[in-house]
Amino acid sequence: MAEALSIAAGESRRLRAFVDDLDGWDGQDCDTGTNALLTFEAMARATLALDGNTSLAGMLEAAVAAGIREGIGHVGVLVSSVLAAWADALARMGEGEAGELTPVATRAMLRREPWTVDGTHMVWSVAVESMIDEGTSELETLGDTLPDVAGIVSLFSSQAQYGLVNATSERTGRVDAGAAVLAVLFTSLDAAVREDTAVLISLTQMLADLAGSPGASSPRPQAPSPDRAFGVDIVLRGTRAEATRVFVDLSSLGVRYSSVGFSDLFGVGEWRVHVDTSAPLAVRPRSGLVWRFQVCDARPDELIGEDPLSDVVTHRGARLLERSTLTRVERACVVACTRAPGLVEDLAQAGAVVLLDPGGDDTTAIATQARRSSTGVCLVAPCDEGSADLARRVASDLGSTRESDAAAARMARTLRVLVATSDDDLGVLSVSQACATLFVPRPGGPSVAGIIAPMLEGTAAQAIERSRTVVLPVPGEDPGFGAAVHEIVSREPRHFRVLVGAGQDGPFLVAMLRQVLASTGSGEPQTPDLEAIDGAQPGPSLLQGVR
C-alpha cells in the first residue's frame, strides 16, 4: 500500500495540471489535481514511515489518519473515504492484520463501498458511483473460484475505468475530476501489486482520449455561488455521538459537506469535514473538540488579487491535454492566525488561509500550506506569542527535515516558513491584506522562491510599520481610554479600525470612539474613517491606526 500511494503521488504530480483543468468545467477553482497530489503525498509519507512489518490494515489506518489531518478539499475526503472503507472491510473480516492478504479478503476489501461506512458523507458524483459500482459488480460475478490477488486488483481497476468511460459524455468530453483521481488511485494499486507501471501509461491515454472530444470546451474557473463562498476544513475529535450531532447540524443548514473519520471500540475518534458555505462561523461545530478550524476564500486567485507582472491575468487552469501548460496565476501563500471569530471572513477575503484558535496540531496545517505553495514559501502571520511559537516550530522542523527513504525523498523539496512580526489580531489583518494579494513572480515554482520570500518579508514589515494597535480600556470605567485613543491619533493615521472583544458593549464603544476621534487632532472636527469589526475575541477590544 505504501508503494501504491507513492506511485499515486508521482502520477498525480504528472497529471496535476490536467486534473486541475478538469475541475474548471463545473466552474470550480481548478485545484482538484493539486489537492489530490498533496493528499497522496501525505498518505505516502505516513505509510513509508511505518515499520516494514506493518500489516495492510495498519497501513490503511495510517493513510486514513494522514488524510484526516493533512488531506485537502473534497477530493482529500474522497480518497480517504475509499481507504477507510477498505480498512473497515479488513477489520470486519479480521484479515490484513498479519501475513499475506488472501484473494477472499482482497475481494471483500475492494467490494466495500465508501458510502456504507459510518461517518462518511459526500455528494457522490455520477462518475464516482459508476466507477465503484462497475468495479464491485465485476468482483461479485467471480463466484467461489478466485484468481490471485494481482488478478483481482487488476480486474477491479480496469472495470472501474470502464465505469468512468460510461459516465463520460462523448459529446462534451467532460471528465469528472474526482473520478479521475480515483482512477489514479486504483491504477496505482494495480501497478504496485503487479510491479508494472505500464498500466499508468494506458490510464493517461484513456483520460486524454475522454477529454479530447471535439465538442469539449475549454474549462475556466468562475466565482463560486454565494452559498459556497468559503471553504472550511474542520478536524473534529470526540465521540461518535458528538460527530453525528455535528453532521445533523450541517445537514439542517443545507450546506454541501464531505466527511470521513474513524472511531475506536469506545466510540471515540477523529473526523475530517470539508464544508462549502457562505457563513464559516455557522458551520463551526458545537459538539466535540474542534482540533482545527481552517477557512479560505473559494474564489479563483485572480478575483482576489491582481497580478502586476502580467498584462493579461489568466486563470490557474490551462487548456486540456497540453503537457506544457499555459503560465498559471498563483497568489503567495499566507496563513493568518486569529483568536477573533468575527475576523475570519475578513482575513479569508483578503486571500489568507485562516486558522481560528490555532493550537499544537496546527503545525500540520501550516506545513501543508507550505507544501501547497508551488514555490515552497509560506508566510505565517501570528496573532500572539503562542501562534508565533507555533509558526517558528514549523519553520524549524521543515528546515531540519532530512528524508532518508528514497521514495520519500522523491516527494521532498525545500520548504520555507516565514514568520511575520504581527502580535495581535488587527496586525494579522494588515499583513494579510498587504501580502495575500501578492502574486508569485513568473514563471513560478521553486525557481522563484528566492524572489517571493523577500517580497513577502518586506511587504509584511511595511504593513506592520504603517500600523499601530493598542488595547482599549473599557470606556466609562477606565480613565486610560482617552490616552489610548490619543496614542493612535498622534501617529496621524488615515484609517482607524476597532476590533470589539467578547462581552463588550460594541455600539457604545464605537460611539465613544467616533466622538473622541472627531474631536481630537488639529483643525476642524471631522468624521473619522473608522471601521468597526465585531471580533468576539477573548480579552479586551483593540484599536488600530493605519497610515
Side-chain angles (χ1 to χ4, degrees):
M1 182 54 65
E3 180 63 20
L5 292 170
S6 296
I7 293 172
E11 188 65 10
S12 294
R13 190 176 300 107
R14 286 183 286 273
L15 294 175
R16 174 180 181 172
F18 177 81
V19 180
D20 277 345
D21 294 339
L22 297 180
D23 205 18
W25 265 321
D26 295 322
Q28 304 294 327
D29 51 0
C30 289
D31 63 356
T32 294
T34 300
N35 293 345
L37 168 61
L38 294 170
T39 300
F40 282 133
E41 286 186 340
M43 291 177 168
R45 284 194 302 272
T47 51
L48 288 169
L50 297 174
D51 182 88
N53 296 321
T54 303
S55 65
L56 176 58
M59 286 191 174
L60 286 170
E61 291 171 359
V64 173
I68 290 173
R69 295 164 191 164
E70 299 182 63
I72 299 181
H74 287 295
V75 74
V77 175
L78 173 62
V79 173
S80 300
S81 68
V82 170
L83 299 187
W86 293 354
D88 186 68
L90 293 179
R92 289 173 180 269
M93 292 189 66
E95 296 276 357
E97 294 299 332
E100 295 185 0
L101 195 63
T102 65
V104 173
T106 302
R107 181 172 68 170
M109 178 185 81
L110 297 177
R111 283 177 58 190
R112 187 65 194 276
E113 298 168 328
W115 45 79
T116 63
V117 179
D118 289 341
T120 295
H121 176 275
M122 177 170 282
V123 179
W124 307 97
S125 70
V126 173
V128 168
E129 289 183 337
S130 176
M131 288 183 68
I132 294 177
D133 286 345
E134 285 290 344
T136 56
S137 297
E138 189 66 21
L139 296 184
E140 291 174 0
T141 64
L142 291 177
D144 296 330
T145 303
L146 300 178
D148 59 10
V149 170
I152 293 174
V153 172
S154 179
L155 180 62
F156 174 80
S157 174
S158 61
Q159 286 302 120
Q161 290 184 32
Y162 180 71
L164 175 57
V165 172
N166 282 343
T168 302
S169 169
E170 294 182 0
R171 181 178 60 83
T172 64
R174 292 193 174 190
V175 183
D176 182 86
V181 171
L182 284 192
V184 170
L185 172 62
F186 298 156
T187 307
S188 297
L189 179 61
D190 186 15
V193 172
R194 291 202 283 176
E195 299 182 354
D196 181 8
T197 58
V199 291
L200 296 171
I201 299 175
S202 299
L203 169 67
T204 302
Q205 187 60 52
M206 184 268 289
L207 291 174
D209 290 342
L210 285 178
S213 169
S217 59
S218 297
R220 182 176 180 84
Q222 304 168 15
S225 59
D227 62 331
R228 54 182 182 89
F230 299 93
V232 180
D233 280 294
I234 302 167
V235 176
L236 178 72
R237 294 180 180 174
T239 65
R240 191 180 297 114
E242 289 172 330
T244 299
R245 282 197 292 272
V246 171
F247 301 149
V248 169
D249 290 342
L250 291 174
S251 297
S252 67
L253 289 172
V255 296
R256 178 194 179 199
Y257 77 94
S258 303
S259 67
V260 65
F262 60 84
S263 58
D264 58 22
L265 294 175
F266 300 99
V268 178
E270 187 172 67
W271 291 265
R272 181 181 192 85
V273 188
H274 183 79
V275 189
D276 296 329
T277 179
S278 60
L281 294 183
V283 302
R284 192 180 187 192
R286 300 295 186 265
S287 302
L289 176 62
V290 181
W291 207 247
R292 182 183 307 153
F293 191 80
Q294 176 179 306
V295 182
C296 65
D297 194 313
R299 290 176 295 168
D301 281 347
E302 68 271 21
L303 298 184
I304 296 176
E306 180 180 353
D307 183 2
L309 303 179
S310 174
D311 294 332
V312 180
V313 178
T314 59
H315 53 79
R316 281 187 292 177
R319 289 185 180 276
L320 287 168
L321 308 180
E322 290 186 4
R323 286 313 230 176
S324 177
T325 58
L326 300 177
T327 302
R328 291 170 182 266
V329 167
E330 180 193 27
R331 285 181 302 104
C333 177
V334 176
V335 175
C337 302
T338 184
R339 309 289 179 190
L343 204 56
V344 165
E345 290 190 19
D346 295 86
L347 291 169
Q349 288 172 337
V353 175
V354 187
L355 294 177
L356 178 60
D357 285 331
D361 190 60
D362 285 315
T363 54
T364 301
I366 295 173
T368 297
Q369 292 306 314
R371 293 187 178 98
R372 191 175 191 180
S373 169
S374 71
T375 64
V377 177
C378 174
L379 173 70
V380 180
C383 59
D384 51 26
E385 190 58 32
S387 55
D389 286 342
L390 184 73
R392 286 190 287 264
R393 188 161 70 249
V394 177
S396 176
D397 290 345
L398 290 178
S400 62
T401 298
R402 295 292 183 270
E403 301 287 1
S404 57
D405 186 278
R410 290 198 300 268
M411 295 180 290
R413 60 191 178 102
T414 302
L415 302 176
R416 186 177 178 187
V417 173
L418 311 175
V419 184
T421 57
S422 54
D423 56 7
D424 62 77
D425 292 291
L426 288 178
V428 172
L429 180 59
S430 294
V431 170
S432 298
Q433 290 178 334
C435 297
T437 55
L438 292 176
F439 275 85
V440 172
R442 299 176 187 277
S447 64
V448 299
I451 301 176
I452 189 64
M455 281 177 58
L456 286 171
E457 289 177 319
T459 305
Q462 290 174 6
I464 295 297
E465 175 62 26
R466 289 197 302 266
S467 65
R468 167 69 174 163
T469 304
V470 297
V471 172
L472 273 181
V474 179
E477 298 181 12
D478 192 321
F481 178 81
V485 176
H486 280 282
E487 180 181 346
I488 294 297
V489 172
S490 66
R491 294 174 58 88
E492 299 183 350
R494 58 178 175 79
H495 180 67
F496 297 90
R497 289 192 187 105
V498 59
L499 188 67
V500 182
Q504 303 271 328
D505 187 343
F508 176 66
L509 174 62
V510 172
M512 287 287 290
L513 277 174
R514 291 192 182 282
Q515 176 59 47
V516 173
L517 291 174
S519 59
T520 301
S522 58
E524 293 294 325
Q526 55 185 352
T527 302
D529 181 11
L530 176 63
E531 176 186 1
I533 304 173
D534 185 7
Q537 74 276 12
S541 297
L542 302 175
L543 177 65
Q544 181 188 59
V546 182
R547 292 187 295 187

CSV table of all heavy atoms in Angstrom, one decimal, residues 71-102:
chain,number,residue,atom,x,y,z
A,71,GLY,N,-5.1,15.9,4.5
A,71,GLY,CA,-5.8,15.9,3.2
A,71,GLY,C,-6.4,17.3,2.9
A,71,GLY,O,-6.7,18.1,3.9
A,72,ILE,N,-6.7,17.6,1.7
A,72,ILE,CA,-7.2,18.9,1.3
A,72,ILE,C,-8.4,18.8,0.4
A,72,ILE,O,-8.4,18.0,-0.5
A,72,ILE,CB,-6.1,19.8,0.6
A,72,ILE,CG1,-4.9,20.0,1.5
A,72,ILE,CG2,-6.7,21.1,0.2
A,72,ILE,CD1,-3.8,20.8,0.9
A,73,GLY,N,-9.4,19.6,0.7
A,73,GLY,CA,-10.6,19.7,-0.1
A,73,GLY,C,-11.5,18.5,-0.1
A,73,GLY,O,-11.3,17.5,0.6
A,74,HIS,N,-12.5,18.5,-0.9
A,74,HIS,CA,-13.4,17.4,-1.1
A,74,HIS,C,-12.7,16.2,-1.6
A,74,HIS,O,-13.0,15.0,-1.2
A,74,HIS,CB,-14.6,17.8,-2.0
A,74,HIS,CG,-15.6,18.7,-1.4
A,74,HIS,ND1,-16.4,18.4,-0.3
A,74,HIS,CD2,-15.9,20.0,-1.8
A,74,HIS,CE1,-17.2,19.5,0.0
A,74,HIS,NE2,-16.9,20.4,-0.9
A,75,VAL,N,-11.8,16.4,-2.5
A,75,VAL,CA,-11.1,15.2,-3.0
A,75,VAL,C,-10.2,14.5,-2.0
A,75,VAL,O,-10.1,13.3,-2.0
A,75,VAL,CB,-10.2,15.6,-4.3
A,75,VAL,CG1,-9.0,16.3,-3.8
A,75,VAL,CG2,-9.9,14.4,-5.1
A,76,GLY,N,-9.7,15.2,-1.0
A,76,GLY,CA,-9.0,14.6,0.1
A,76,GLY,C,-9.9,13.7,0.9
A,76,GLY,O,-9.5,12.6,1.3
A,77,VAL,N,-11.1,14.2,1.1
A,77,VAL,CA,-12.1,13.3,1.8
A,77,VAL,C,-12.5,12.1,1.0
A,77,VAL,O,-12.7,11.0,1.5
A,77,VAL,CB,-13.4,14.2,2.2
A,77,VAL,CG1,-14.4,13.3,2.8
A,77,VAL,CG2,-13.0,15.3,3.1
A,78,LEU,N,-12.6,12.3,-0.3
A,78,LEU,CA,-13.0,11.2,-1.2
A,78,LEU,C,-12.0,10.1,-1.2
A,78,LEU,O,-12.3,8.9,-1.0
A,78,LEU,CB,-13.1,11.8,-2.7
A,78,LEU,CG,-13.3,10.7,-3.8
A,78,LEU,CD1,-14.6,10.0,-3.6
A,78,LEU,CD2,-13.3,11.4,-5.2
A,79,VAL,N,-10.7,10.4,-1.3
A,79,VAL,CA,-9.6,9.4,-1.3
A,79,VAL,C,-9.6,8.8,0.1
A,79,VAL,O,-9.5,7.5,0.2
A,79,VAL,CB,-8.3,10.1,-1.6
A,79,VAL,CG1,-7.2,9.1,-1.4
A,79,VAL,CG2,-8.3,10.6,-3.1
A,80,SER,N,-9.7,9.5,1.1
A,80,SER,CA,-9.7,9.0,2.5
A,80,SER,C,-10.8,8.0,2.7
A,80,SER,O,-10.7,7.0,3.4
A,80,SER,CB,-9.7,10.1,3.5
A,80,SER,OG,-8.6,10.9,3.4
A,81,SER,N,-12.0,8.4,2.2
A,81,SER,CA,-13.2,7.6,2.4
A,81,SER,C,-13.1,6.2,1.7
A,81,SER,O,-13.5,5.2,2.3
A,81,SER,CB,-14.5,8.3,1.9
A,81,SER,OG,-14.4,8.4,0.5
A,82,VAL,N,-12.4,6.1,0.6
A,82,VAL,CA,-12.2,4.8,-0.1
A,82,VAL,C,-11.3,4.0,0.7
A,82,VAL,O,-11.5,2.8,1.0
A,82,VAL,CB,-11.6,5.1,-1.5
A,82,VAL,CG1,-11.2,3.7,-2.1
A,82,VAL,CG2,-12.7,5.7,-2.4
A,83,LEU,N,-10.2,4.6,1.2
A,83,LEU,CA,-9.2,3.8,2.0
A,83,LEU,C,-9.9,3.4,3.4
A,83,LEU,O,-9.6,2.3,3.9
A,83,LEU,CB,-8.0,4.6,2.2
A,83,LEU,CG,-7.2,5.0,1.0
A,83,LEU,CD1,-5.8,5.6,1.4
A,83,LEU,CD2,-6.9,3.8,0.1
A,84,ALA,N,-10.7,4.3,3.9
A,84,ALA,CA,-11.4,3.9,5.2
A,84,ALA,C,-12.3,2.8,5.0
A,84,ALA,O,-12.5,1.9,5.9
A,84,ALA,CB,-12.2,5.2,5.7
A,85,ALA,N,-13.0,2.7,3.8
A,85,ALA,CA,-13.9,1.6,3.5
A,85,ALA,C,-13.1,0.3,3.4
A,85,ALA,O,-13.5,-0.8,3.9
A,85,ALA,CB,-14.6,1.8,2.2
A,86,TRP,N,-11.9,0.3,2.8
A,86,TRP,CA,-11.1,-0.9,2.7
A,86,TRP,C,-10.6,-1.3,4.0
A,86,TRP,O,-10.6,-2.5,4.3
A,86,TRP,CB,-9.9,-0.6,1.8
A,86,TRP,CG,-10.2,-0.3,0.3
A,86,TRP,CD1,-11.5,-0.5,-0.2
A,86,TRP,CD2,-9.4,0.1,-0.7
A,86,TRP,NE1,-11.5,-0.2,-1.6
A,86,TRP,CE2,-10.2,0.1,-1.9
A,86,TRP,CE3,-8.0,0.4,-0.8
A,86,TRP,CZ2,-9.7,0.5,-3.1
A,86,TRP,CZ3,-7.5,0.8,-2.0
A,86,TRP,CH2,-8.3,0.8,-3.2
A,87,ALA,N,-10.2,-0.4,4.9
A,87,ALA,CA,-9.7,-0.7,6.2
A,87,ALA,C,-10.8,-1.3,7.0
A,87,ALA,O,-10.6,-2.3,7.8
A,87,ALA,CB,-9.2,0.5,6.9
A,88,ASP,N,-12.0,-0.8,6.9
A,88,ASP,CA,-13.2,-1.3,7.7
A,88,ASP,C,-13.5,-2.7,7.2
A,88,ASP,O,-13.9,-3.5,8.1
A,88,ASP,CB,-14.4,-0.3,7.5
A,88,ASP,CG,-15.5,-0.7,8.3
A,88,ASP,OD1,-15.4,-0.6,9.6
A,88,ASP,OD2,-16.6,-1.2,7.8
A,89,ALA,N,-13.4,-3.0,5.9
A,89,ALA,CA,-13.7,-4.3,5.4
A,89,ALA,C,-12.7,-5.3,6.0
A,89,ALA,O,-13.1,-6.4,6.4
A,89,ALA,CB,-13.7,-4.3,3.9
A,90,LEU,N,-11.4,-5.0,6.0
A,90,LEU,CA,-10.4,-5.9,6.6
A,90,LEU,C,-10.7,-6.1,8.1
A,90,LEU,O,-10.5,-7.2,8.6
A,90,LEU,CB,-9.0,-5.4,6.3
A,90,LEU,CG,-8.6,-5.3,4.9
A,90,LEU,CD1,-7.2,-4.8,4.8
A,90,LEU,CD2,-8.6,-6.7,4.3
A,91,ALA,N,-11.0,-5.0,8.8
A,91,ALA,CA,-11.3,-5.1,10.2
A,91,ALA,C,-12.5,-6.0,10.5
A,91,ALA,O,-12.4,-6.8,11.5
A,91,ALA,CB,-11.5,-3.7,10.8
A,92,ARG,N,-13.5,-6.0,9.7
A,92,ARG,CA,-14.7,-6.8,10.0
A,92,ARG,C,-14.4,-8.3,9.7
A,92,ARG,O,-15.0,-9.2,10.3
A,92,ARG,CB,-15.8,-6.4,9.0
A,92,ARG,CG,-16.4,-5.0,9.4
A,92,ARG,CD,-17.4,-4.5,8.4
A,92,ARG,NE,-18.0,-3.3,8.8
A,92,ARG,CZ,-19.1,-3.1,9.5
A,92,ARG,NH1,-19.8,-4.2,9.9
A,92,ARG,NH2,-19.6,-2.0,9.8
A,93,MET,N,-13.4,-8.5,8.8
A,93,MET,CA,-13.1,-9.9,8.5
A,93,MET,C,-12.0,-10.5,9.4
A,93,MET,O,-11.7,-11.7,9.5
A,93,MET,CB,-12.6,-10.0,7.0
A,93,MET,CG,-13.6,-9.8,6.0
A,93,MET,SD,-13.0,-10.2,4.4
A,93,MET,CE,-12.8,-12.0,4.5
A,94,GLY,N,-11.3,-9.6,10.1
A,94,GLY,CA,-10.2,-10.0,10.9
A,94,GLY,C,-9.0,-10.3,10.0
A,94,GLY,O,-8.1,-11.0,10.4
A,95,GLU,N,-9.0,-9.8,8.8
A,95,GLU,CA,-7.9,-10.1,7.9
A,95,GLU,C,-7.0,-8.8,7.8
A,95,GLU,O,-7.3,-7.7,8.2
A,95,GLU,CB,-8.5,-10.3,6.5
A,95,GLU,CG,-9.3,-11.6,6.4
A,95,GLU,CD,-8.5,-12.8,6.2
A,95,GLU,OE1,-7.3,-12.7,6.0
A,95,GLU,OE2,-9.1,-13.9,6.2
A,96,GLY,N,-5.8,-9.1,7.2
A,96,GLY,CA,-4.9,-8.0,6.9
A,96,GLY,C,-4.1,-7.6,8.1
A,96,GLY,O,-3.3,-6.7,8.1
A,97,GLU,N,-4.3,-8.3,9.3
A,97,GLU,CA,-3.5,-7.9,10.5
A,97,GLU,C,-2.1,-8.5,10.4
A,97,GLU,O,-1.2,-8.0,11.0
A,97,GLU,CB,-4.2,-8.4,11.7
A,97,GLU,CG,-5.6,-7.7,12.0
A,97,GLU,CD,-5.3,-6.2,12.2
A,97,GLU,OE1,-4.3,-5.8,12.6
A,97,GLU,OE2,-6.3,-5.4,11.8
A,98,ALA,N,-2.0,-9.6,9.8
A,98,ALA,CA,-0.6,-10.3,9.7
A,98,ALA,C,-0.6,-11.2,8.5
A,98,ALA,O,-1.6,-11.6,8.0
A,98,ALA,CB,-0.4,-11.2,11.0
A,99,GLY,N,0.6,-11.4,8.0
A,99,GLY,CA,0.8,-12.3,6.9
A,99,GLY,C,0.3,-11.7,5.6
A,99,GLY,O,0.0,-10.5,5.5
A,100,GLU,N,0.2,-12.5,4.5
A,100,GLU,CA,-0.2,-12.0,3.2
A,100,GLU,C,-1.7,-12.0,3.1
A,100,GLU,O,-2.4,-12.8,3.7
A,100,GLU,CB,0.4,-12.9,2.1
A,100,GLU,CG,1.9,-12.9,2.0
A,100,GLU,CD,2.4,-13.7,0.9
A,100,GLU,OE1,1.6,-14.3,0.2
A,100,GLU,OE2,3.6,-13.8,0.7
A,101,LEU,N,-2.2,-11.0,2.3
A,101,LEU,CA,-3.6,-10.8,2.1
A,101,LEU,C,-4.1,-11.9,1.1
A,101,LEU,O,-3.4,-12.2,0.1
A,101,LEU,CB,-3.9,-9.5,1.5
A,101,LEU,CG,-5.3,-9.0,1.5
A,101,LEU,CD1,-5.8,-8.8,2.9
A,101,LEU,CD2,-5.4,-7.6,0.7
A,102,THR,N,-5.2,-12.5,1.5
A,102,THR,CA,-5.8,-13.6,0.7
A,102,THR,C,-6.7,-13.1,-0.4
A,102,THR,O,-7.1,-11.9,-0.3
A,102,THR,CB,-6.6,-14.6,1.5
A,102,THR,OG1,-7.7,-13.9,2.1
A,102,THR,CG2,-5.8,-15.1,2.7
